[in-house]
Amino acid sequence: MSENDLFEQIDEIKKLSYEGLGSSLFFDLLINAHNGTSASKKNTFTIDEWVEHYEVYKIVTNPDQLILFFEYLQRFHSGLISKSDKKYTLINSPRRENFGLELIVLKTMDND
């Protein structure tokens, strides 16, 4: 990854924070995205359905936050989320250890 790419990714993480996606919410969304999946069933929802999915797990978010979150994942963590029509599909379960940069930037932003 080039230096410019790294700075671009950091700027995108900051946008998540400005939209209210601090480290706690970011990782709650990430860790709970796979809830309800099985070998034969993937989580494929519209944004409003994703809001409802997260509400079941007591995670409060809104459509704007989820769009930013999923678009970020699509761009910087390919292979996790796909978009078709107006639905986002979780392709692979995310692993927290693959999100070190997000943790550092969002924790820093949490403290500002």
Side-chain angles (χ1 to χ4, degrees), residues 22-74:
S23 61
S24 179
L25 180 56
F26 181 89
F27 284 99
D28 282 348
L29 295 176
L30 191 67
I31 291 164
N32 290 283
H34 72 278
N35 291 354
T37 62
S38 66
S40 62
K41 180 188 175 290
K42 300 243 183 238
N43 282 350
T44 301
F45 304 125
T46 65
I47 287 297
D48 289 334
E49 291 168 337
W50 274 106
V51 170
E52 293 171 9
H53 166 79
Y54 285 116
E55 284 175 351
V56 170
Y57 303 100
K58 309 284 190 261
I59 300 167
V60 178
T61 187
N62 65 53
D64 291 335
Q65 290 173 327
L66 285 177
I67 290 169
L68 278 176
F69 176 72
F70 289 138
E71 296 296 326
Y72 173 83
L73 292 179
Q74 270 190 297

Side-chain angles (χ1 to χ4, degrees), residues 71-105:
E71 296 296 326
Y72 173 83
L73 292 179
Q74 270 190 297
R75 183 170 176 196
F76 294 103
H77 294 276
S78 62
L80 285 180
I81 297 285
S82 68
K83 182 181 179 186
S84 179
D85 297 318
K86 294 184 178 191
K87 294 191 174 195
Y88 290 87
T89 300
L90 179 69
I91 299 169
N92 292 302
S93 291
R95 299 178 65 191
R96 187 181 175 103
E97 59 266 20
N98 293 333
F99 291 85
L101 180 61
E102 291 83 358
L103 179 63
I104 292 167
V105 174

